[in-house]
Amino acid sequence: MDFTFTEEQQAAVEAAKAVFSGVAPDGVPSPARTPGAVADDFDRALWARLRDADLLSLPLAPEYGGAGLNAIALCLVLREAGTVLARVPLLESVAAAYAIQVHGDDALKRDILPRAARGELVLTVAANGRSGHDPADRAVTAHRDGDAWVLDGTHTAVPWAYNADLILVPAHTGEGRTLLALVPRGHKGVALGEQISTTGERLGELRLESARIPADRVVEAEGAWEWLRDLLATGTCALALGLGETVLRMTSTYTGKREQFGFPVATFQAVAVQAADRYIDLRAMEATLWQAAWRISTEADGALPASGDVAVAKIWASEGVRRVAQTAQHLHGGFGADTEYPLHRYHAWAKHLELSLGPAAAHEETLGDLLAAHPLG
């Protein structure tokens, strides 16, 4: 298995490192000290720098102002975003635009993609369903009425819902199809209820009551939602990997300096074994991430559908990011909970990513179903 990245992908990483190098993970008030949201908006200055570095358009075709790369390049940039807890809708906006490019019609592409590539149009995705546990595509119903689709239902925990221009909403029809509707914020029949993440960021409960969306703003292609769902999950795994690697580096630095009985605690066997276990978690997270991203990018055949590789990546990421954060808290002692020290922020974001990915047991069940339907050998 060769995970060597191309020159274009490596260039994207270097550009991302340059953009994120000046980002402070504690650039907003601590969620532990803030009763509401830590900020009213995402980091617009960082968004502008990402735009100027052409990192908002990586997977889009050159005709829309993009670089023509793929999900691997996007995940490489998201990995760097995770290292600094970047407060931008990079995953959601780019993934939504990418889905429109792959599955939307030409008129919708011409209208949406150039503006998304320039960062002028911010997109997000309602991907959590009614409760965060039920299928997102079953949370909203859609029925055709003349030249529009009428949407009814509720999605919980929509990221950046109060700041995005358009929310890409999966909805199911009476014929069993799943559509992707571009719902403008503030549209008639659309309401938002404030929710606060463990990170302190403001999420939105999206309520749709007979919201009429013109048919030309709806993606009806078969498999569009499943493709976007896998891309969002893989991108979240990339964020978790970047966060976990940073947390392990912080732990290594701290335990190398902190002394007990005249020796750095990093030299104690119990500490070294725990750190080694978390390193193994991160390497497994990395290998499964790139396998999933490669399957999405190439549509290569495999023993299982690409969703199987995504399920494996989610198993490792949801469990791994939790274990890495917990071990870091343990080995930092009191410093891990100190709100003047950035580790507590990484722990809060790790919990958010873990909850976003869902429990490993659910993904193991999905993987089991796929194995039953596609016997190996």
Side-chain angles (χ1 to χ4, degrees):
M1 189 176 296
D2 183 6
F3 285 143
T4 303
F5 300 115
T6 66
E7 290 183 8
E8 292 83 359
Q9 292 165 348
Q10 291 171 342
V13 173
E14 294 305 315
K17 287 182 176 179
V19 169
F20 293 126
S21 62
V23 176
D26 54 356
V28 292
S30 167
R33 295 183 170 184
T34 308
V38 295
D40 293 330
D41 200 357
F42 60 82
D43 190 338
R44 295 279 179 174
L46 176 57
W47 189 252
R49 293 199 297 274
L50 289 166
R51 174 203 63 208
D52 294 341
D54 296 325
L55 294 176
L56 301 180
S57 58
L58 284 176
L60 301 183
E63 63 191 280
Y64 304 118
L69 299 180
N70 55 26
I72 296 173
L74 173 59
C75 287
L76 283 166
V77 174
L78 289 169
R79 180 185 189 176
E80 298 302 321
T83 66
V84 296
L85 311 181
R87 300 183 52 258
V88 286
L90 179 62
L91 168 59
E92 296 82 7
S93 194
V94 177
Y98 196 10
I100 291 170
Q101 174 176 276
V102 174
H103 297 284
D105 61 35
D106 291 339
L108 189 61
K109 294 177 190 178
R110 289 193 299 269
D111 179 37
I112 298 294
L113 300 187
R115 292 186 290 157
R118 295 191 298 268
E120 299 169 1
L121 193 68
V122 179
L123 310 175
T124 190
V125 184
N128 293 314
R130 286 182 294 267
S131 66
H133 300 289
D134 53 330
D137 56 322
R138 309 303 295 178
V140 171
T141 61
H143 70 269
R144 189 68 179 257
D145 184 16
D147 60 353
W149 286 93
V150 180
L151 307 184
D152 289 278
T154 300
H155 276 279
T156 192
V158 180
W160 316 110
Y162 281 89
N163 312 112
D165 301 297
L166 295 170
I167 304 172
L168 196 58
V169 178
H172 71 278
T173 71
E175 297 79 30
R177 292 190 299 141
T178 299
L179 313 173
L180 293 175
L182 279 166
V183 177
R185 179 169 47 88
H187 191 69
K188 184 178 179 181
V190 178
L192 289 174
E194 186 178 68
Q195 298 174 309
I196 306 298
S197 167
T198 60
T199 65
E201 300 296 340
R202 186 162 63 160
L203 309 175
E205 182 185 65
L206 176 68
R207 297 187 288 269
L208 302 168
E209 296 182 7
S210 299
R212 291 179 62 87
I213 307 300
D216 61 2
R217 311 293 283 182
V218 175
V219 177
E220 300 186 35
E222 186 74 24
W225 164 241
E226 290 77 10
W227 185 90
L228 175 57
R229 181 186 60 200
D230 284 348
L231 178 60
L232 288 169
T234 305
T236 304
C237 292
L239 290 170
L241 176 61
L243 182 153
E245 289 175 329
T246 300
V247 167
L248 189 61
R249 283 196 296 270
M250 292 171 63
T251 305
S252 175
T253 299
Y254 177 80
T255 57
K257 295 179 179 178
R258 178 77 167 89
E259 291 190 359
Q260 284 282 7
F261 313 113
F263 296 94
V265 297
T267 63
F268 298 167
Q269 186 178 30
V271 173
V273 167
Q274 291 182 71
D277 284 343
R278 301 295 78 82
Y279 177 82
I280 292 170
D281 279 337
L282 290 171
R283 297 290 68 81
M285 290 167 65
E286 182 178 22
T288 54
L289 162 66
W290 298 130
Q291 175 69 13
W294 176 75
R295 288 294 304 277
I296 292 173
S297 299
T298 63
E299 298 183 356
D301 291 332
L304 295 177
S307 56
D309 293 291
V310 174
V312 173
K314 290 164 73 175
I315 290 168
W316 277 103
S318 62
E319 289 283 288
V321 74
R322 173 181 57 79
R323 288 194 291 253
V324 169
Q326 287 180 343
T327 297
Q329 289 276 13
H330 175 64
L331 296 183
H332 272 82
F335 269 99
D338 187 350
T339 57
E340 300 299 321
Y341 188 71
L343 181 60
H344 82 285
R345 293 177 181 274
Y346 283 90
H347 196 180
W349 279 70
K351 179 55 66 175
H352 173 77
L353 293 174
E354 178 192 354
L355 294 174
S356 298
L357 287 165
H363 310 318
E364 290 165 354
E365 183 176 349
T366 297
L367 187 60
D369 292 341
L370 288 170
L371 287 167
H374 302 82
L376 302 181

